[in-house]
Amino acid sequence: GTRKIGAQLDSLLFKSYYYLHGFVLVSGCKDSPTAVTPSSTPDPARMQYAQPESIKAACQLYRTIKRAYPTKGRRAPPKAALECVSSALPPMEETSCSKAIRKFVFGNPRQIPSSLHDSPPKTNESLPAGFPKWVLDGEQKSGETPTHSKEQPNESHKPTPGCDEKTTTCSETRDNDQHEVLLVRKGLCHELAQGPLPMLGSNSTTHSYGTHSNQPDVTTTDDCVNAEERDAMAKQELALFKKFTAILDDICFSPTNFEGWFLLGQCIGAKADLISDRIDSLQKGFLNTGFYAPSYPFENSRPRSSMILDELLEQQAKENLDTHKQRVSCIGNDLSVYMRRKWSIFSSLHACSEELVEDLASDQSCPQSTDTEGEVFTDSQAWMAIHTLFESGDYPGWQRAWGGVFVGALRIMANRCRQISISLAKAKVLAEIEEKKPANQVRNLVAEMCETIGTTKYTELQGSMLYGYPICPMTEFHKRELAEQSAQHFDQAIEWINDTDDDDGEGSWQNYFMIGKCQEKIASTYLREAYQPTIDNEHQRMYEAIISKALHSYNTSLEEKKKAEAEGALSDILVGGSSHGAMEVFYRMHTCRLKVLLQAVNRTKTERKMAELEALRLTSAHWFKKPSYEEKNDGNDADPTDERSMIWKVFVDVVSSLAQCRVESTYFHRSVYRHAQALLWAPLFDDPDGEASRLGSMAAIPTTKSDQLEGFISGTSCANSAEEIMGVLFEKKRLQLCAVWVTTPTLPSPFEILNDSYRKFDSLRKKYAGAHIECMKLCKRLEKLEIFLGWAKACRRDLPGLYAASAKVGGGHPRQNHNRDVLLEGFGFLWFSKRFINMAIANIIIQDSNDFIEGRSLKKTEENDLNDDSVEGSKPRTLIDNLRIAYTCFLRLNCSIKDVRLHASISSNAKIVEVQSLLLALEAIKRERGGIESYNQTELDSAAWGEKMVLLHMAVTKCQKLFQKSLPANAGKKLKLKSKRKKPESEIPDGYQDVSSTQEGNTNRSDDSKVLVGVEHNKESLSPIKRQKHME
C-alpha cells in the first residue's frame, strides 16, 4: 500500500510540475524512470504557466530543472520552463562589458561608405573597427558591481524587509542573493541560447506566465488576428527576438564565445531574410532585355566600350559615392529597435516609427556624415519621406519602405556579429596551435563559418538591390566589392579545409564552384572597358582575365566533384531545384561560355572583331565535345583559321551542352532558359550583318546550320523553336505556374541553401514565365496567352502581393480576390505574370493594327487574318476581333479612365500599352472603312496625355456600345459606372468637349459599322492630333 501511495504521489507531483512550470521530473538518462504524464496533454505552446512566487523560488526551480535535465542527458530543458523561471527574476543588470557590447552591435555607422564595413579580416587577429577589444581580456567577473539599465528600475538596492542595512549580516545576505541570481541568470541565458533558430510555422509562440511580461509587442493586435500570414510572421519575429536576447545576454557573460557571436548574426540575418521575402524589389518587370534579338536594326542600341580601365573604375566609384549620398542604410541611433519591433504588424510598425522620430529629435546635433563636398540625405529626411507615404494613403509603399530600412539595419548588425565570430575563431585556432592542442574541430568550424558568410554575401549580391531608404539597384562598384568579399571567404574556407585531415572532398568542389560564380559577377562590372587593339594581342581586358579565372574555377570544381563521386565520398544527391551534383557545375561552366559569346556578337561592327577574338580565346579552352580538325572537313567541322566559322562551332557546342543537361537530368530546369535564349540569338551567330539578322529572333537560319543545333525545328523561325523549348516548363496547369521547385537535403550545404529561399524561387519563376510570355508574343500565340492568363488567375497570391493587398486595408485580410485588383500597379510574381501577359496580348494587337495602318496588310475586315500562327480550321481573326481583344485587355486593368490618367501622371513610364492597343485597333477599323486619318503609332507615342484622354473616352464609348452584350456582365463595371456620371467641366481638357455627352443620341444604334463611323465626319469629334490639320 505504501509503494502504491508513493507512486501516486510521484505521478501527481510529475503532473503538477508539468502543468505549473512546463517540465517533468525525469532526466534524459537511460536509467531514468518513465515519465508519468497525462495520456492526453494539452499543447505546451498554449498553456499558461505559473510564475514562481519569489526570486528565491525561481532559483530553486532552476536547480530542480537542471537536476531533471542534466548537461549530458539526451534531452534539453524545455524552453518554456526556462522562460518561466526567467520571468520571475529581476531585470538583467548592465555591466560596463555588456554596455560596450550592446553599443557596438546597435550603433549606427554614420558615414558614407567608400568601401564596405564588413570586409574579411586581413589578419587572423583583426576585429571590426569600433569593437571594444578590452571586453575580450577576461570574462565578466562576479565581483564586478553591475549597474541597472536606464529603462529598468534598480530593484536590487531596495532594503530587505525586517533587516537593518547597516549590519554585516544583511549585507552579506544581499550579496549572496545577488551572486546567486547572477549565476542563475547566466545559466538561463546559456541554456536559452542553445539549439537551432526558430523556424517559421513551428510551435514557437508566446507563452503567458500569469503576469504582464516586459517583452515588447507580445499582445496580439486586431490586424494580426485578422491576417493569418501576418500572425505567423509576427510570432516568428517574436521568437527570433527572444532567441536574439538570450544569445546576446549569453555573449555579455562570455564575450569570447565565437559560436555565440556567429549564431547571433544568423538570428539577425534570419529576420532580415523573412522581411526581404515579403517586399518586392524595384525590378517589377521582365528586365532581361538580352533574352531575344530585337526584330529591327539595333546597331545604335548595342553596348559600347568606350572607357579605359582607369576611367571606368573612377566613374563607377563616383556613381557609388553619389548613390550613397542620396540614401540611408538605416534610420536612428539605436538599431535594437529593428529587432524589438515587428515589421509585420501595423501597430508595431507605427510604434517603431514614433520611437525613431523621438530618437532623432533627441540627437539633432549628431552629424549625419563626414562628407563635406555635397549635400547628404539624412536620417530625418528619410523618416519624413517615409511618413509622407503614410499620410498620402500609400500604405503598401509605406510598409515596403520601412521593410527596406529594417533589412538594411538588420544586415548591418548581422555582418558585424559574423565578422567578430570569424576573427575570434581564428584567434582560438592560433591559441590552440601555440598550446600544441588538436585544433581540427575548431578548424572545421572556421571553414563552415567562412562558407556560410560567403554564401550570405552572395545571396545579397543575387538580388543586386541596396536595402535602406530608398531601395535602389546596386551600383557596379558595390557589386564588385561584395563579390570580392564573398570570393575571399570561400578562398579562406578552402585553406582551412586543406589544413584539416578529414576532408571528404564535398566542401572543396562547392567552394570552387562559388568562387567561379563570384568571379563571373566581378567580370560583369568590367564589361564597359574599351578594347585596345595591338599587333601581338598582348593587351588583355580585365573582363577576359577574370572570366578566364571563373572558367578555370568551374573546371576545377567539376573535376573535384567527379572525383569525389567516383570515390563514393559524397552523400546521395536529391533531384530538385538546388541539388543536381556535378550537373550544376557543368551547366554553369557552359552557360558562362554562352554569356561570353552573346556579349561579343552583340557588339557594334567596329568592336565585334576584337570582341569575337576575345570570346574565342575564352570559350575554346573548355569544350563540351572538342572538334577534330585532322580529319577531312565534311562541311560540319569549322576551319580553325576562320573566325566566323569558329564562332559558329563554339556556339553549336554550347547549345549541345545545354541540351545535354535535360538529357542527363530530366528535372534540371535552369538549362531550359539558356537553351531557348541561345536559339533566339542564332541568326546573329550565323551572320551578324546579314539581312536575316535584321529580323532578329523572328528570322530563320539555313537548314544546313539549323540541323546542327539541338532542339531547333528546321523550316521555322528561331522564335518558334525557342517557344517549344520553354514550353516544357509550362506543359500543364500548376499551383506555382511553372515547373520549378526546391528540394533541400536534411543537412544542406551553404551552396544548397543559396537557392532555398522564397526570393530565389520567385525570381526563377518570374524569369521563366517572362521568357515563356516573350516567346508566345513573338510567335503571336494569342490563344495560348489567354490560357496562360487563366492559369495565373487561378493561382493564389504570393507573399509580396499578399502583404501589399493586406496593407491597403490596414494590415488585415484583403477584401477582394486578386483578379479584381487594379492591374496597372502591384507587387509580386502573380501580379507581374498577369500584367505581362496582358501587355503581350496588347502588343500583338498593336503590331497588327500598325501593320494595317502602314499599308503592310490591306485585307478586308471580314477576311482579315492577321494571326501568323492561326490553327488550321480556326476562324480567321478580323479587325473587329482585334478591337474586342484590345478592349478586353483594357478592361482587365480594373480601373477607370480617370485612374489611368492619374497613373500616367505619376508614373515614370507614361506609356500604357493597353491604351495604345485600344486606340490603334479603333484607328485601323476607321482607316479600313474610309474614315479620316487621325493618327499612327508614332504620333500616338508622342502625343500628350491630355490628347490621349479625349481619344480614350471616344474609344471606350464606342466599345461599350459594340461589345456590351458579348462581354461578361461584370466586365468593365467601373467604366460603366463612370460613364453614367456627367463629367464636370474641371475634368475636361481645355479646348475639348465631353465626348460621352456628344454620343448620347447614338445609344440606340444597332449596326456596328454605324457606331464606328457615325461621328467620323463630325469636325468636333476629330482627333485632337489631326484637328488643327483638318481646320487648315
Side-chain angles (χ1 to χ4, degrees):
T2 305
R3 287 185 180 178
K4 185 175 181 181
I5 294 175
Q8 290 179 352
L9 291 175
D10 288 342
S11 176
L12 292 175
L13 187 62
F14 290 164
K15 293 179 182 179
S16 299
Y17 273 95
Y18 180 78
Y19 284 111
L20 288 175
H21 305 299
F23 72 98
V24 293
L25 295 173
V26 179
S27 69
C29 301
K30 295 181 179 180
D31 56 350
S32 300
T34 305
V36 183
T37 55
S39 57
S40 58
T41 59
D43 184 5
R46 300 179 180 274
M47 294 181 64
Q48 183 174 358
Y49 298 125
Q51 188 183 57
E53 63 274 10
S54 64
I55 297 176
K56 184 176 181 180
C59 295
Q60 293 174 347
L61 182 61
Y62 174 72
R63 295 194 193 95
T64 304
I65 295 175
K66 291 297 293 181
R67 286 195 295 269
Y69 298 87
T71 304
K72 297 183 180 180
R74 292 181 297 177
R75 295 184 302 165
K79 299 295 182 183
L82 297 175
E83 291 174 357
C84 180
V85 174
S86 179
S87 65
L89 296 178
M92 185 173 177
E93 299 172 342
E94 294 285 358
T95 64
S96 57
C97 176
S98 63
K99 283 183 178 181
I101 291 175
R102 295 177 192 275
K103 182 178 179 180
F104 170 77
V105 174
F106 299 139
N108 185 341
R110 295 183 178 280
Q111 55 183 350
I112 297 177
S114 57
S115 62
L116 301 182
H117 301 288
D118 48 3
S119 56
K122 299 184 184 303
T123 63
N124 288 340
E125 298 83 7
S126 61
L127 288 166
F131 181 76
K133 298 181 181 180
W134 60 267
V135 302
L136 304 177
D137 295 339
E139 304 295 324
Q140 180 176 325
K141 299 179 181 180
S142 59
E144 180 181 358
T145 303
T147 58
H148 286 271
S149 175
K150 293 181 180 180
E151 292 81 3
Q152 303 295 345
N154 192 345
E155 296 181 1
S156 62
H157 294 289
K158 293 180 180 180
T160 305
C163 184
D164 188 359
E165 290 186 356
K166 296 182 180 180
T167 61
T168 305
T169 305
C170 291
S171 178
E172 292 177 355
T173 302
R174 185 170 61 252
D175 291 341
N176 291 334
D177 291 342
Q178 289 182 356
H179 180 67
E180 184 178 13
V181 171
L182 181 65
L183 293 178
V184 172
R185 173 67 71 180
K186 183 177 181 180
L188 283 172
C189 292
H190 183 72
E191 291 288 348
L192 291 172
Q194 301 303 308
L197 298 178
M199 301 296 293
L200 184 65
S202 64
N203 293 328
S204 299
T205 56
T206 303
H207 297 274
S208 177
Y209 307 110
T211 60
H212 294 289
S213 174
N214 291 324
Q215 298 287 357
D217 295 333
V218 171
T219 305
T220 305
T221 56
D222 293 338
D223 48 358
C224 182
V225 173
N226 294 332
E228 296 178 1
E229 213 293 326
R230 287 183 180 271
D231 184 36
M233 176 66 176
K235 291 179 179 178
Q236 177 67 3
E237 288 185 84
L238 180 58
L240 287 173
F241 173 73
K242 286 184 176 182
K243 188 73 173 180
F244 164 83
T245 303
I247 299 172
L248 184 58
D249 291 344
D250 186 39
I251 289 175
C252 290
F253 285 108
S254 304
T256 58
N257 180 12
F258 69 91
E259 292 177 293
W261 280 106
F262 184 75
L263 189 59
L264 185 67
Q266 294 297 91
C267 184
I268 301 173
K271 182 172 181 178
D273 290 339
L274 286 173
I275 297 175
S276 56
D277 282 343
R278 285 154 178 78
I279 56 176
D280 201 12
S281 67
L282 291 178
Q283 300 178 2
K284 295 182 180 180
F286 183 64
L287 300 182
N288 191 358
T289 54
F291 176 65
Y292 68 94
S295 57
Y296 52 86
F298 58 103
E299 183 72 16
N300 294 332
S301 65
R302 291 181 175 181
R304 295 178 179 269
S305 301
S306 57
M307 285 181 286
I308 61 175
L309 182 59
D310 292 340
E311 293 177 353
L312 178 63
L313 296 178
E314 183 180 356
Q315 184 190 59
Q316 290 178 348
K318 185 178 182 301
E319 290 175 352
N320 182 68
L321 187 62
D322 293 340
T323 299
H324 283 285
K325 285 182 180 180
Q326 299 169 7
R327 61 182 304 275
V328 294
S329 298
C330 55
I331 299 176
N333 303 310
D334 184 5
L335 303 188
S336 64
V337 65
Y338 298 105
M339 281 302 297
R340 287 188 284 107
R341 298 294 182 181
K342 305 188 188 75
W343 171 82
S344 56
I345 302 300
F346 261 43
S347 59
S348 178
L349 204 52
H350 275 291
C352 176
S353 177
E354 295 299 324
E355 183 175 344
L356 286 172
V357 73
E358 293 177 2
D359 183 25
L360 294 174
S362 63
D363 195 16
Q364 292 286 348
S365 61
C366 184
Q368 297 293 315
S369 173
T370 58
D371 179 81
T372 58
E373 296 181 358
E375 187 175 348
V376 179
F377 193 55
T378 64
D379 288 8
S380 299
Q381 292 172 333
W383 184 92
M384 183 58 64
I386 297 175
H387 188 65
T388 302
L389 294 174
F390 181 82
E391 291 183 335
S392 63
D394 186 8
Y395 303 134
W398 176 77
Q399 175 187 250
R400 181 176 176 275
W402 274 120
V405 176
F406 265 72
V407 175
L410 293 170
R411 284 184 174 178
I412 289 174
M413 294 188 289
N415 289 334
R416 288 172 179 168
C417 297
R418 295 187 184 111
Q419 189 174 350
I420 295 172
S421 69
I422 198 71
S423 300
L424 294 178
K426 291 177 181 179
K428 184 173 182 179
V429 173
L430 293 178
E432 291 186 353
I433 292 176
E434 291 179 358
E435 297 175 3
K436 297 182 180 181
K437 295 180 179 179
N440 277 352
Q441 183 178 1
V442 183
R443 288 178 185 272
N444 288 330
L445 288 176
V446 173
E448 292 178 7
M449 290 163 63
C450 288
E451 290 179 359
T452 303
I453 296 173
T455 304
T456 303
K457 299 293 182 187
Y458 191 84
T459 302
E460 296 179 18
L461 186 63
Q462 272 184 323
S464 296
M465 302 300 295
L466 289 174
Y467 286 93
Y469 185 80
I471 303 175
C472 61
M474 194 176 290
T475 62
E476 297 294 323
F477 184 89
H478 196 99
K479 285 181 184 178
R480 182 165 57 250
E481 284 204 336
L482 203 57
E484 288 173 350
Q485 290 178 15
S486 180
Q488 288 176 25
H489 280 103
F490 288 117
D491 277 328
Q492 292 180 10
I494 293 176
E495 294 177 2
W496 287 99
I497 290 174
N498 292 336
D499 290 341
T500 60
D501 301 329
D502 54 350
D503 179 23
D504 58 0
E506 185 169 0
S508 297
W509 78 265
Q510 292 179 350
N511 288 315
Y512 281 118
F513 175 73
M514 293 303 301
I515 289 173
K517 296 182 71 171
C518 293
Q519 289 167 339
E520 263 198 272
K521 295 288 187 181
I522 296 171
S524 66
T525 64
Y526 293 108
L527 275 174
R528 294 170 57 194
E529 181 187 357
Y531 293 93
Q532 297 182 11
T534 57
I535 298 176
D536 52 2
N537 289 327
E538 290 183 355
H539 177 77
Q540 188 182 50
R541 289 201 311 160
M542 186 64 70
Y543 173 82
E544 180 181 358
I546 299 178
I547 283 293
S548 179
K549 293 180 181 178
L551 289 170
H552 177 72
S553 298
Y554 288 143
N555 190 55
T556 304
S557 174
L558 188 60
E559 292 176 356
E560 292 283 338
K561 178 67 173 176
K562 289 181 178 179
K563 180 181 177 181
E565 287 180 345
E567 295 175 354
L570 301 184
S571 57
D572 294 337
I573 299 297
L574 298 176
V575 177
S578 57
S579 303
H580 288 284
M583 182 55 61
E584 188 77 29
V585 188
F586 173 83
Y587 157 76
R588 181 61 60 179
M589 182 170 66
H590 293 291
T591 296
C592 181
R593 296 174 67 206
L594 175 63
K595 292 178 181 178
V596 171
L597 291 173
L598 287 175
Q599 71 87 22
V601 77
N602 197 25
R603 292 289 177 180
T604 58
K605 191 174 182 179
T606 57
E607 295 179 334
R608 191 184 307 126
K609 183 175 181 180
M610 291 181 289
E612 289 182 344
L613 287 174
E614 178 187 79
L616 283 176
R617 291 194 296 269
L618 291 169
T619 57
S620 59
H622 304 275
W623 289 88
F624 169 52
K625 296 179 180 179
K626 190 172 184 178
S628 176
Y629 301 109
E630 289 77 8
E631 299 178 359
K632 182 179 179 181
N633 194 331
D634 58 357
N636 292 328
D637 288 336
D639 183 1
T641 61
D642 184 5
E643 297 170 4
R644 174 52 46 198
S645 61
M646 279 298 298
I647 285 287
W648 176 259
K649 191 63 182 178
V650 174
F651 175 67
V652 172
D653 182 73
V654 170
V655 173
S656 300
S657 66
L658 295 175
Q660 185 66 22
C661 293
R662 291 284 289 190
V663 173
E664 296 189 12
S665 182
T666 309
Y667 300 103
F668 192 81
H669 53 79
R670 299 182 188 276
S671 63
V672 175
Y673 174 85
R674 293 299 177 185
H675 191 182
Q677 183 186 28
L679 296 185
L680 287 171
W681 284 89
L684 272 76
F685 285 100
D686 176 32
D687 186 4
D689 299 318
E691 187 65 27
S693 64
R694 294 182 176 272
L695 298 176
S697 299
M698 293 305 300
I701 59 176
T703 306
T704 55
K705 291 191 173 181
S706 64
D707 291 341
Q708 302 175 35
L709 297 177
E710 295 285 345
F712 199 98
I713 304 174
S714 299
T716 62
S717 67
C718 298
N720 281 276
S721 301
E723 185 202 8
E724 290 294 326
I725 297 296
M726 286 302 305
V728 300
L729 298 180
F730 303 90
E731 78 280 4
K732 64 180 181 179
K733 185 176 180 180
R734 289 185 174 89
L735 184 63
Q736 72 271 26
L737 206 59
C738 65
V740 179
W741 58 92
V742 176
T743 54
T744 305
T746 306
L747 297 174
S749 65
F751 155 65
E752 291 165 329
I753 293 177
L754 186 69
N755 299 315
D756 188 14
S757 69
Y758 198 91
R759 296 187 309 282
K760 183 63 176 178
F761 176 67
D762 266 5
S763 66
L764 285 176
R765 291 198 299 166
K766 182 180 290 187
K767 183 169 75 170
Y768 297 160
H772 185 50
I773 295 168
E774 289 282 18
C775 289
M776 290 190 290
K777 183 185 73 174
L778 290 173
C779 300
K780 297 185 178 181
R781 311 291 190 188
L782 278 177
E783 292 185 4
K784 289 186 177 181
L785 285 169
E786 293 283 356
I787 294 174
F788 195 48
L789 180 60
W791 293 358
K793 288 182 176 181
C795 294
R796 294 179 294 182
R797 294 185 193 268
D798 50 274
L799 287 180
L802 174 62
Y803 273 78
S806 175
K808 293 180 180 179
V809 293
H813 273 307
R815 296 175 181 173
Q816 60 186 13
N817 186 273
H818 65 81
N819 291 319
R820 299 180 62 185
D821 291 343
V822 176
L823 205 59
L824 275 176
E825 56 185 10
F827 298 93
F829 163 73
L830 186 59
W831 167 83
F832 157 78
S833 299
K834 294 190 295 181
R835 181 70 200 282
F836 202 53
I837 295 170
N838 204 49
M839 292 173 61
I841 296 173
N843 276 314
I844 294 175
I845 303 302
I846 289 176
Q847 182 180 349
D848 291 347
S849 301
N850 193 55
D851 287 345
F852 185 86
I853 292 173
E854 298 296 331
R856 290 188 289 269
S857 177
L858 301 177
K859 296 181 181 181
K860 296 293 182 181
T861 306
E862 291 77 7
E863 301 173 356
N864 188 20
D865 180 16
L866 299 176
N867 190 359
D868 294 342
D869 66 317
S870 57
V871 181
E872 184 178 355
S874 62
K875 183 179 179 181
R877 182 159 46 86
T878 65
L879 291 180
I880 292 292
D881 293 333
N882 279 359
L883 181 61
R884 180 183 291 106
I885 294 172
Y887 183 52
T888 304
C889 289
F890 179 76
L891 293 181
R892 289 196 193 105
L893 297 178
N894 292 327
C895 60
S896 64
I897 298 176
K898 184 178 179 180
D899 296 333
V900 173
R901 181 67 182 93
L902 180 62
H903 174 79
S905 63
I906 63 176
S907 176
S908 58
N909 183 14
K911 183 178 179 180
I912 301 176
V913 295
E914 290 86 351
V915 174
Q916 304 283 97
S917 173
L918 180 59
L919 298 181
L920 285 175
L922 184 61
E923 178 66 16
I925 294 179
K926 291 171 64 177
R927 295 284 186 95
E928 190 272 334
R929 300 197 176 188
I932 299 176
E933 297 182 6
S934 298
Y935 48 81
N936 55 30
Q937 185 177 5
T938 304
E939 294 172 337
L940 194 61
D941 290 340
S942 60
W945 262 102
E947 299 172 347
K948 290 183 182 180
M949 286 300 297
V950 177
L951 298 175
L952 184 59
H953 273 285
M954 294 171 59
V956 169
T957 301
K958 294 176 183 179
C959 290
Q960 284 177 336
K961 297 170 185 178
L962 277 171
F963 310 122
Q964 186 173 7
K965 295 181 180 180
S966 60
L967 291 175
N970 59 346
K973 186 175 182 181
K974 289 186 178 181
L975 291 175
K976 293 178 182 179
L977 293 175
K978 289 288 182 181
S979 63
K980 293 179 181 180
R981 179 178 62 89
K982 184 174 179 61
K983 193 172 185 180
E985 294 182 0
S986 59
E987 296 183 13
I988 304 175
D990 294 339
Y992 305 125
Q993 64 179 13
D994 186 2
V995 178
S996 60
S997 63
T998 63
Q999 298 301 315
E1000 291 180 358
N1002 295 329
T1003 55
N1004 295 327
R1005 294 180 181 267
S1006 58
D1007 185 10
D1008 292 348
S1009 62
K1010 292 180 181 180
V1011 173
L1012 288 171
V1013 300
V1015 293
E1016 285 179 356
H1017 299 288
N1018 185 349
K1019 185 174 70 173
E1020 296 299 328
S1021 64
L1022 290 179
S1023 164
I1025 302 174
K1026 295 292 186 179
R1027 182 178 300 172
Q1028 185 65 30
K1029 182 178 178 180
H1030 179 81
M1031 292 177 66
E1032 294 175 354

